Amino acid sequence: MSQFGTSIYHDRVNYFLDHYEEGKIGSYLTVKGAEITNRLQRECAEKFPTPIPLLFGDDVIHGLRTTLPTPLAQSCSWDPAAAERGAAVAAKEAYVAGIKWTFSPMVDIARDPRWGRIVEGYGEDPYLCSRFAEATVRGYQGKEIGEKYHVLACMKHFIAYGGCVGGRDYNEVDMSLQTLYDTYLPSFQAGIDAGAATVMAAFNTVNGVPCSGSRYLLTELLREQMGFDGFVVSDCDSIRELEAHGYAEDQKDAVYKAFHAGINMNMTGDRYSDHIPQLIQEGKLTEQDVDNAVLPILTLKVLLGLFEEPYVDETEAEKVFLCDEHLTACREIGRDCIVLLENNGILPLAENKKVALIGPLADEKRHVLGPWCCLPDPDKTVTVLEGMRNAGLDVTYAKGCDLNESSDEELRTAVCAAQNSDVAVVVLGQHFNMSGEAKSRANLTLPDAQLQLLDTILATGKPVVLLISDGRPTVVESFRDRVAALAYIWQLGTMTGDAVADVLTGKCDANGRLTVSVPRSVGQVPIHYNHPNTGRPHLGLVWYETGYTDEDATPRYPFGYGLSYSSFALSELTLSTDTIPVNGSLTVTCRVTNTGARAGKTVAQLYIRDLVGSCVRPVKELKGFKKVVLEPGASCTVSFELPADALAFHNEKLERVVEPGKFRLWVGQHAHDETLCGEFTVTE
Ligand code: NOJ
């Protein structure tokens, strides 16, 4: 991989040469580039008469050279087709770099923004996450495994990693099996149904048992009940950690437990090759067990075509990396991820406005690529400043402060820039390395230095458009009603600046919608719209209701929320029937009208509630969504197919049931929008 000038190139080759001959390496993590992967494949072909080609895997989480928006950002597009397109871009760049296996998508449900890995997933809702899971699996793998420019997907982390207590990464998960089945499994099931080739076992325990050593989770549930037939890889060191958990006596015992649980491949280290031979000698495992574990890995190597052609064309990367097609995809996906939360009419920016662009993240190339980037080229990244200038805006830039430190001089320059402009666009947020793995946080506000900057700019009296670039939903209570406009721009990757400028100038409608509820304060978390009811629901009427004495119980912005530059009305709700049998289906339709003066996009969202159940049911559950694009004054009909089967849940005995009874449904533009409401009954 000399084209990337890596000094670890020789270490990698030497490590390989030492271990491959002893049969200890079958796949390789973090080696990228056609030259090095070809070289290692060649070593392998030359050493053995019947060589087994290597499988190179990597964290191509949201792009390789072209960095796409983070998965959390992508989910806010409410457009699974966009995620499929992004995954295909990532797959192609990985493929030409010799990587045929990506450790993505992360389809863990995340309901706690303290958890840094919320940035890697598709938000809090099982239905929405499922649609993104299947779309990304398709994008990575193509129509069938082995298709050129496509790679194996790896759904992770099985299971319930996002449910870690306190939002602390790697922490225990203690949850009912009903919640596990109804909330955390569906996205994995959707990915399995879409053909996901591999699954990664999680670090955490579920109800006391580490996932990486649980035969119940990895074999009985994942394979026997859910029908997964690819291979399971451990997480990095998650087998070794079985000892630290207090679940294995020593490393040999850890290997035995992980292997017996159903982990086909150990990620990192030699534990499997070190201990499995002895476990066979002791009669704890048989050679047949090992053959059975290896078979799905070999099968996928065959399907990938690695036995026929293990090499990749070394001239392709240059043409594929950061090509126009990929940059265009990145920009188009990115602009649909931006969620506009407040707007007094200042956006889109009127032409000829003088803009002061302020903030430590306004001209930051690495930050906007997010916490996971694979082989990025920060030099090719378009910052917000560059994007605004590319769009022809009259911009004066001032940093204002460092990420965590104020400077009087920088503050003065920023104030001066604001005073000499018509509008201040301020870009703030937690730095990229404050979210992601092991980046749990107990505070969800902006750093003090940035809050001070914002207050100072607000004090100039100039209207402030605040853009928050972050990997998690930031708490905005102290300033959201003082700014003229507020948007989450997340981390949009290589084309961030152009995507942001497209929305600021109104070239494109603001059309992202939240996929996580935004808390008013950290004390509210975990907070999500689809919680079960209580006997004392929060109605805001009496004291003895579920809630807080010092804080509202509702989120600041609900799931599904986001503003457009236009306005939309939903009307004419129709149900094809008001009664369906448990094996029947219902069609729900409504009219969406663009009532504003601009073309725009909105998302019609279908929610249901099972009014009486043998287990208390969530107050709302998303069951469908449609993104529509409408010219001013235009309208269209959207329809949703709602099979009774989609109403199923797991009862007290963990049986999957569709219970007869009354259901309420709503079609709205966010989870709290109850404008259109209907009811239907499910009969035996
Ligand atoms: C640990 C992370 O949990 C996992 O998501 C990632 O794929 C591996 N490390 C490999 O980097």
Side-chain angles (χ1 to χ4, degrees):
M1 203 173 60
S2 53
Q3 77 248 46
F4 305 119
T6 167
S7 57
I8 50 176
Y9 175 80
H10 294 290
D11 296 348
R12 295 277 153 83
V13 174
N14 291 337
Y15 181 89
F16 168 79
L17 292 176
D18 288 349
H19 289 71
Y20 181 77
E21 238 171 306
E22 298 165 37
K24 286 187 170 173
I25 292 185
S27 56
Y28 223 134
L29 155 69
T30 73
V31 175
K32 1 180 192 296
E35 195 190 335
I36 186 169
T37 55
N38 281 350
R39 162 137 190 235
L40 294 176
Q41 297 285 22
R42 208 169 299 117
E43 299 282 354
C44 174
E46 285 164 7
K47 285 237 149 59
F48 293 100
T50 49
I52 297 176
L54 293 162
L55 175 61
F56 294 96
D58 214 320
D59 289 294
V60 188
I61 308 293
H62 50 112
L64 185 113
R65 198 71 158 162
T66 305
T67 305
L68 295 144
T70 61
L72 178 61
Q74 288 192 39
S75 68
C76 292
S77 70
W78 286 62
D79 184 2
E84 183 171 345
R85 182 182 181 198
V89 166
K92 188 165 181 180
E93 295 197 3
Y95 184 100
V96 300
I99 298 165
K100 302 282 175 71
W101 179 29
T102 175
F103 306 138
S104 174
M106 186 188 100
V107 299
D108 298 316
I109 298 298
R111 296 173 157 186
D112 190 332
R114 291 173 299 181
W115 189 48
R117 301 196 79 168
I118 195 170
V119 66
E120 288 179 59
Y122 302 105
E124 72 188 34
D125 182 70
Y127 179 84
L128 186 110
C129 188
S130 299
R131 304 293 74 80
F132 277 83
E134 62 204 13
T136 43
V137 167
R138 281 195 304 267
Y140 286 132
Q141 296 192 167
K143 289 195 190 63
E144 59 181 9
I145 290 169
E147 190 180 334
K148 192 166 184 198
Y149 299 134
H150 288 275
V151 301
L152 304 180
C154 180
M155 287 197 298
K156 64 190 191 184
H157 306 80
F158 199 81
I159 186 82
Y161 186 29
C164 47
V165 170
R168 271 169 47 208
D169 210 359
Y170 317 121
N171 204 10
E172 62 167 312
V173 172
D174 194 357
M175 76 173 44
S176 72
L177 290 180
Q178 282 99 330
T179 301
L180 183 77
Y181 272 65
D182 291 336
T183 304
Y184 288 81
L185 292 188
S187 48
F188 282 88
Q189 187 67 64
I192 291 169
D193 295 345
T198 77
V199 163
M200 189 183 294
F203 288 120
N204 54 282
T205 56
V206 172
N207 302 334
V209 181
C211 297
S212 294
S214 168
R215 187 166 174 86
Y216 162 63
L217 293 173
L218 297 180
T219 297
E220 291 172 30
L221 188 53
L222 179 65
R223 288 194 184 276
E224 293 165 9
Q225 291 186 39
M226 298 174 74
F228 175 68
D229 63 359
F231 73 80
V232 177
V233 63
S234 73
D235 202 341
C236 209
D237 265 350
S238 67
I239 296 180
R240 181 180 64 79
E241 290 164 17
L242 295 180
E243 192 182 339
H245 274 294
Y247 185 71
E249 272 169 29
D250 52 24
Q251 288 302 299
K252 186 171 61 151
D253 191 32
V255 166
Y256 172 70
K257 288 195 163 120
F259 188 93
H260 179 68
I263 295 190
N264 305 74
M265 186 192 284
N266 175 32
M267 181 190 286
T268 63
D270 302 326
R271 275 177 190 80
Y272 263 19
S273 47
D274 284 351
H275 297 291
I276 286 177
Q278 203 184 337
L279 288 165
I280 294 174
Q281 272 170 19
E282 289 170 7
K284 285 188 132 178
L285 297 177
T286 64
E287 286 191 11
Q288 186 60 50
D289 291 334
V290 177
D291 287 349
N292 293 345
V294 165
L295 188 62
I297 304 175
L298 289 180
T299 306
L300 284 165
K301 288 187 178 185
V302 171
L303 292 177
L304 280 171
L306 286 172
F307 281 88
E308 285 122 53
E309 182 51 277
Y311 309 110
V312 290
D313 181 343
E314 291 182 20
T315 65
E316 278 203 299
E318 208 180 313
K319 292 173 244 157
V320 170
F321 286 174
L322 295 161
C323 63
D324 287 348
E325 188 191 335
H326 291 183
L327 295 180
T328 303
C330 184
R331 179 175 181 164
E332 289 177 359
I333 296 167
R335 58 198 187 193
D336 286 354
C337 303
I338 294 169
V339 186
L340 182 63
L341 297 167
E342 305 284 346
N343 186 14
N344 70 359
I346 194 157
L347 291 182
L349 291 173
E351 277 175 27
N352 303 327
K353 287 264 185 215
K354 282 185 73 178
V355 181
L357 179 66
I358 294 168
L361 296 176
D363 194 29
E364 240 273 5
K365 286 186 183 279
R366 173 60 188 86
H367 165 78
V368 291
L369 301 177
W372 273 116
C373 43
C374 197
L375 196 63
D377 185 349
D379 289 344
K380 293 277 161 50
T381 305
V382 184
T383 66
V384 176
L385 173 63
E386 289 164 341
M388 289 175 78
R389 290 204 167 132
N390 291 344
L393 290 164
D394 178 4
V395 185
T396 307
Y397 165 64
K399 190 172 174 196
C401 67
D402 281 339
L403 284 161
N404 293 303
E405 260 173 65
S406 304
S407 128
D408 289 346
E409 198 186 324
E410 278 181 327
L411 262 184
R412 270 196 300 276
T413 315
V415 166
C416 191
Q419 279 164 342
N420 289 317
S421 64
D422 302 311
V423 53
V425 174
V426 181
V427 189
L428 305 178
Q430 296 182 3
H431 201 221
F432 78 90
N433 60 17
M434 290 164 80
S435 52
E437 187 179 344
K439 299 292 162 51
S440 298
R441 292 187 65 80
N443 291 300
L444 300 174
T445 45
L446 294 170
D448 288 347
Q450 298 189 37
L451 287 172
Q452 188 196 351
L453 171 66
L454 180 62
D455 280 341
T456 312
I457 301 303
L458 281 164
T460 64
K462 293 289 174 175
V464 169
V465 172
L466 177 59
L467 307 179
I468 298 186
S469 176
D470 213 322
R472 47 161 66 87
T474 313
V475 167
V476 295
E477 288 313 281
S478 66
F479 49 78
R480 59 149 204 115
D481 53 357
R482 294 188 288 144
V483 295
L486 169 65
Y488 283 154
I489 60 167
W490 313 112
Q491 289 137 333
L492 299 178
T494 309
M495 299 300 279
T496 291
D498 289 327
V500 168
D502 286 343
V503 172
L504 289 182
T505 57
K507 178 175 175 187
C508 158
D509 188 23
N511 68 88
R513 302 292 184 259
L514 293 170
T515 55
V516 282
S517 305
V518 177
R520 294 167 193 265
S521 60
V522 74
Q524 286 186 317
V525 301
I527 186 165
H528 47 93
Y529 82 94
N530 40 4
H531 58 84
N533 211 14
T534 74
R536 295 185 175 194
H538 177 74
L539 302 171
L541 302 176
V542 292
W543 280 106
Y544 290 91
E545 295 179 354
T546 185
Y548 302 99
T549 54
D550 61 344
E551 180 66 281
D552 199 290
T554 59
R556 166 50 62 200
Y557 301 108
F559 175 83
Y561 184 77
L563 299 171
S564 159
Y565 291 149
S566 196
S567 53
F568 296 88
L570 270 47
S571 59
E572 300 171 31
L573 179 73
T574 316
L575 279 59
S576 58
T577 168
D578 58 9
T579 307
I580 49 169
V582 284
N583 57 357
S585 189
L586 170 76
T587 308
V588 180
T589 54
C590 79
R591 199 134 195 88
V592 184
T593 307
N594 182 343
T595 50
R598 303 173 57 95
K601 299 184 191 179
T602 193
V603 184
Q605 304 165 24
L606 169 69
Y607 295 90
I608 65 106
R609 176 165 177 184
D610 185 345
L611 295 180
V612 179
S614 64
C615 287
V616 174
R617 307 300 307 133
V619 295
K620 273 193 188 149
E621 293 174 85
L622 183 73
K623 293 294 174 191
F625 58 90
K626 293 267 161 71
K627 194 161 195 172
V628 295
V629 188
L630 289 170
E631 292 298 317
S635 61
C636 69
T637 299
V638 292
S639 73
F640 303 93
E641 222 23 64
L642 184 61
D645 191 62
L647 309 169
F649 66 94
H650 289 85
N651 67 15
E652 211 180 359
K653 295 181 192 152
L654 222 53
E655 297 154 338
R656 187 174 185 278
V657 288
V658 178
E659 289 186 343
K662 271 203 169 149
F663 290 76
R664 189 162 296 152
L665 66 76
W666 300 264
V667 182
Q669 296 184 73
H670 57 79
H672 291 182
D673 176 3
E674 302 197 337
T675 326
L676 293 183
C677 179
E679 277 191 7
F680 63 97
T681 303
V682 174
T683 56
E684 295 283 354

